[in-house]
Amino acid sequence: MGGDYAPALAMMTVQVGFAGLNIVSKLAMDSGMSPFVMITYRNIVATVFLAPLAFLLERKTIMELKGKTLFQLFLCSIFGATLNQILYFVGLKYSSPTIACALSNMLPAITFVMAVPFRMETVRIKTVSGQAKVWGTVLCVGGSMLMTFYKGSLIKLWGPHIHWRYASTSAAATSASTGGSHHMVLGAVLVIASCFAWAIWFIIQAKMCRSFASPYTSSTLLCFMAGMQCLVISFAVERKWSVWVLGWDIRLVAVLYIGVVGSGLAFALMSWCIQRRGPLFVSMFSPLLLVIVAILGWGILDEKLFLGSAVGSALIVGGLYLVLWGKGREMEMDANAVVPMVPDEFISSTGLPVFFSPTEEH
């Protein structure tokens, strides 16, 4: 993969894959599948899928693994896979794909806030770009709170012609068994919590890529560790062997899809993009997911759109693009700045000079 557009194309591919993940996994959970069991299968399938690729493409890099890298991978597996996936999928079970994806748009703002203390992002509050990032973050948080705690009136849309009857039946059964708005609020809070775990993974992954730039190997080890962690948690939560049975139905489709596409390809591509463009760049593409899932949710799941969700989504997307605009303006200013030559000895002994941005490529 090469060229300036390759990271953008890779992240667009990831978002399309995630859109299918939200729909398929929601249908599987509506059919009665445990989210803990599904996440365990997801990471096991992803490990099996990625291991041959890592061996063929990066078999020499396995010798470069050190104790520090393994510890960073362990932290990545906890925050980027285990915690993030458990919080998100349980939240998705009690909410809807559109709401879960809309709240996931908080990710860039959360990533920005968490990256500042680690000097991976700068505020520059006295500049227009810095103010745009701050106000964008405020809008994202406000939009997420509105979606979580305000429902509003129903926005009437024409009925979709591609509606899937199976989805309607399973969704109706789940809605009757889980309850109403109380569970919707719980689901929204869990999705927001998953964004914090996801942002922590971005930051740890960005640091690890500086010393171990092997996305397939790191993703394989990450999924393997997460699979073992989820297996322990699942056995503690789900005591019946029957919940692990997969038939020729939506559960098997969900496990294979989210394992290969949702974890295998997604983790590898995101790790590669973080290495190339930094953690904030990867989180910039979440609005694309919201648009795709909103269309699929309306067409396949017959989701209803309420005023609070619509206004909250608009605020989140608007805030996100303020953050992106500020980041783009900041990168333009840094690119136009005159960078003096610095001896290699100075850089290697004390780290990056103050006029370097840690998330940029040099």
Side-chain angles (χ1 to χ4, degrees):
M1 299 178 72
D4 294 337
Y5 295 103
L9 291 174
M11 285 309 304
M12 290 175 66
T13 303
V14 169
Q15 296 306 319
V16 172
F18 277 162
L21 177 149
N22 278 271
I23 299 298
V24 171
S25 57
K26 176 64 173 177
L27 290 174
M29 288 186 290
D30 284 349
S31 72
M33 188 174 191
S34 166
F36 299 97
V37 173
M38 184 167 59
I39 293 167
T40 303
Y41 276 129
R42 173 184 182 175
N43 287 289
I44 293 173
V45 171
T47 303
V48 174
F49 172 76
L50 283 170
L53 294 176
F55 177 77
L56 292 174
L57 301 175
E58 299 171 348
R59 55 183 177 273
K60 294 182 180 179
T61 61
I62 194 68
M63 302 302 295
E64 302 173 10
L65 276 172
K66 299 178 181 179
K68 179 181 177 181
T69 304
L70 285 173
F71 179 68
Q72 289 173 329
L73 278 170
F74 177 72
L75 293 178
C76 284
S77 68
I78 291 177
F79 291 102
T82 304
L83 271 180
N84 169 60
Q85 291 175 17
I86 287 176
L87 291 170
Y88 184 84
F89 278 96
V90 176
L92 176 62
K93 179 179 180 180
Y94 290 117
S95 59
S96 70
T98 302
I99 289 178
C101 291
L103 291 173
S104 295
N105 280 326
M106 286 186 63
L107 184 59
I110 294 174
T111 303
F112 165 63
V113 171
M114 297 186 69
V116 169
F118 294 95
R119 302 182 66 181
M120 302 178 74
E121 291 292 335
T122 54
V123 179
R124 302 180 185 179
I125 193 62
K126 294 184 179 181
T127 64
V128 176
S129 60
Q131 292 171 5
K133 291 196 291 185
V134 171
W135 281 111
T137 302
V138 172
L139 283 177
C140 284
V141 174
S144 68
M145 294 298 102
L146 186 65
M147 288 191 69
T148 304
F149 298 108
Y150 177 70
K151 188 174 184 179
S153 57
L154 175 67
I155 299 177
K156 296 182 179 180
L157 299 172
W158 66 92
H161 297 292
I162 58 174
H163 181 52
W164 191 3
R165 188 174 299 277
Y166 169 79
S168 176
T169 304
S170 59
T174 301
S175 177
S177 62
T178 57
S181 59
H182 173 73
H183 285 90
M184 192 69 73
V185 172
L186 173 62
V189 170
L190 290 174
V191 171
I192 294 173
S194 76
C195 289
F196 280 93
W198 201 229
I200 294 173
W201 174 69
F202 281 152
I203 293 170
I204 299 174
Q205 182 73 26
K207 287 183 172 293
M208 185 184 69
C209 284
R210 297 174 184 174
S211 58
F212 189 73
S214 301
Y216 291 103
T217 303
S218 62
S219 297
T220 302
L221 293 174
L222 183 150
C223 291
F224 174 75
M225 292 179 182
M228 297 302 101
Q229 294 162 10
C230 291
L231 189 64
V232 173
I233 295 172
S234 297
F235 275 128
V237 175
E238 303 289 351
R239 302 296 180 89
K240 298 179 180 178
W241 285 102
S242 58
V243 300
W244 294 89
V245 177
L246 297 176
W248 295 98
D249 52 18
I250 190 65
R251 301 188 187 191
L252 179 61
V253 173
V255 164
L256 293 177
Y257 182 90
I258 67 176
V260 174
V261 178
S263 281
L265 290 177
F267 273 115
L269 289 175
M270 286 190 296
S271 298
W272 180 79
C273 289
I274 289 173
Q275 178 185 336
R276 292 289 301 274
R277 291 290 187 267
L280 189 60
F281 175 87
V282 174
S283 65
M284 289 177 180
F285 288 82
S286 51
L288 180 61
L289 177 62
L290 173 60
V291 174
I292 298 171
V293 170
I295 295 173
L296 292 177
W298 167 76
I300 296 177
L301 303 180
D302 195 22
E303 283 189 12
K304 305 301 180 184
L305 181 63
F306 292 92
L307 182 62
S309 299
V311 176
S313 298
L315 288 176
I316 290 173
V317 173
L320 171 66
Y321 278 107
L322 266 181
V323 174
L324 301 188
W325 181 87
K327 178 62 179 177
R329 181 80 176 268
E330 188 178 272
M331 292 177 68
E332 249 180 55
M333 294 170 58
D334 290 342
N336 294 331
V338 178
V339 181
M341 297 298 292
V342 179
D344 292 339
E345 294 79 10
F346 177 80
I347 295 177
S348 61
S349 61
T350 62
L352 292 174
V354 292
F355 45 79
F356 278 171
S357 174
T359 60
E360 293 179 4
E361 292 182 355
H362 298 281

